[in-house]
Amino acid sequence: VVSATEYLTEVDRFAEFLGRSLDAILNSPAREMHSPSEMSRRASFHDPAYSMEPVNSSNTFISYYTYGAMLGAGLDLTLRTRFPGRDLDQYMRLLWNRFGSAEKPYTAADLKAALADLTEDPEFARDFFAQHIDGTQPIDYAPLLEQAGFVPRKTNPNSAWLGPVSWKIEQGRLTLAARTRRGTPLYEAGMDIGAQLVSIDREKPGSEKELARLLKKKKPGDRVEIRFERRGVARTASLQLSQDPALEVVPFEKLHRELSPEVRKLREEWLASKAGGELPSLTRYCP
């Protein structure tokens, strides 16, 4: 028996995972450059060694682990809501029976065909792969999550924002410690790794806390004058502050929204463990 407090704690943790993962995908400029299938083919360029190199991965790459997890979640909810009686577990079992247990190689076309067989809807399978696997169109998560009692929303919608930046202090100045993201205010102003912030509207923040206090006085859409030095050259730019796009996912309960019987049923079926009995023993190992 799980108490209400324990249940909500677990739901909160799951919602936090969903929020971090959605934010990593939907707010990354890399999503517009490469599809999930293309991201997976970039694996050899993103092993632990790449972290030592001054690459521009924040603008070009999303972890295929994160991408894959959220594609699975989106497909699972789509199957449950569009094809009653079907879910991701059944899809994975079908793939195991066709390819895994038989140790038979498979292709992306085989995965698409299996999804068509499971749903009895080849057009759905074709569109899902074309749009979300081989294409860059994101799944529309909001209505899917709503049906399971979760609401995706902006974390700080009223906060003025420069971008998801990392700072360090050099020569008494805030210095960008990582690449700026394409489309963010600092990127558009011409700031990038190594650039030193001199002032914003003539104020000279010497720490991240001072910068945060300065930004609290502003609102999204405000235009400010920013001065910085990059590669020894002093520059001035007019910069328009954005709305912080960071996302979170919140359970209905934290928003004082009531769970309907349908919503509760879908959530419980979605999150319930399918494990039962003894785990099968392994008889073969990958060398």
Side-chain angles (χ1 to χ4, degrees):
V1 177
V2 178
S3 70
T5 300
E6 290 173 326
Y7 172 75
L8 289 177
T9 299
E10 292 303 312
V11 169
D12 277 346
R13 288 175 181 170
F14 182 64
E16 288 176 7
F17 163 76
L18 287 176
R20 289 195 303 271
S21 300
L22 278 181
D23 182 68
I25 294 170
L26 298 181
N27 285 325
S28 171
R31 181 177 54 77
E32 301 173 355
M33 301 183 66
H34 302 293
S35 68
S37 61
E38 290 170 333
M39 291 295 180
S40 67
R41 290 195 286 270
R42 295 175 61 83
S44 58
F45 302 102
H46 292 273
D47 61 15
Y50 100 95
S51 61
M52 304 296 292
E53 302 294 334
V55 295
N56 194 28
S57 60
S58 62
N59 282 307
T60 62
F61 184 72
I62 300 172
S63 168
Y64 32 88
Y65 295 110
T66 304
Y67 228 149
M70 294 313 299
L71 281 172
L75 177 58
D76 195 9
L77 284 173
T78 301
L79 291 173
R80 291 174 185 274
T81 55
R82 182 169 171 175
F83 303 96
R86 300 289 186 267
D87 57 39
L88 186 65
D89 295 313
Q90 293 179 348
Y91 182 45
M92 298 302 288
R93 289 192 194 99
L94 175 60
L95 295 175
W96 169 256
N97 290 331
R98 285 190 182 181
F99 308 107
S101 61
E103 298 186 346
K104 178 182 176 182
Y106 58 88
T107 65
D110 293 324
L111 301 181
K112 188 191 309 181
L115 184 59
D117 291 342
L118 177 69
T119 60
E120 299 180 349
D121 190 338
E123 184 177 356
F124 164 76
R126 182 173 60 250
D127 289 346
F128 187 87
F129 270 76
Q131 295 171 6
H132 310 308
I133 305 299
D134 299 319
T136 59
Q137 180 177 330
I139 293 173
D140 189 0
Y141 288 96
L144 293 173
L145 289 172
E146 283 262 350
Q147 293 183 75
F150 295 97
V151 177
R153 67 180 187 182
K154 285 186 169 58
T155 308
N156 305 300
N158 299 317
S159 297
W161 186 73
L162 291 170
V165 293
S166 176
W167 299 98
K168 60 183 178 180
I169 303 295
E170 283 188 353
Q171 301 172 340
R173 289 176 176 172
L174 283 172
T175 304
L176 285 173
R179 299 284 183 186
T180 52
R181 287 198 182 182
R182 181 167 52 88
T184 61
L186 286 182
Y187 181 95
E188 296 299 329
M191 289 192 71
D192 206 349
I193 186 170
Q196 293 186 328
L197 178 62
V198 177
S199 66
I200 295 181
D201 279 352
R202 301 184 182 277
E203 294 191 50
K204 300 180 179 181
S207 67
E208 291 187 59
K209 287 185 177 180
E210 291 180 13
L211 177 59
R213 283 197 293 268
L214 189 159
L215 290 176
K216 276 190 175 182
K217 303 175 186 177
K218 309 294 183 179
K219 61 181 183 297
D222 283 353
R223 187 166 288 278
V224 298
E225 182 186 77
I226 186 169
R227 295 183 179 182
F228 61 96
E229 287 187 7
R230 184 181 178 191
R231 297 175 182 173
V233 178
R235 307 187 184 197
T236 301
S238 176
L239 178 152
Q240 186 172 23
L241 299 171
S242 297
Q243 180 190 58
D244 187 347
L247 294 172
E248 64 180 354
V249 173
V250 185
F252 276 13
E253 293 90 334
K254 295 188 74 171
L255 300 173
H256 306 291
R257 290 180 58 176
E258 185 177 352
L259 290 176
S260 68
E262 295 78 16
V263 169
R264 183 179 295 276
K265 181 175 183 294
L266 176 59
R267 181 197 283 182
E268 291 178 351
E269 289 177 348
W270 184 38
L271 302 185
S273 172
K274 302 299 188 298
E278 295 184 2
L279 294 174
S281 59
L282 293 174
T283 57
R284 296 181 66 89
Y285 297 86
C286 175

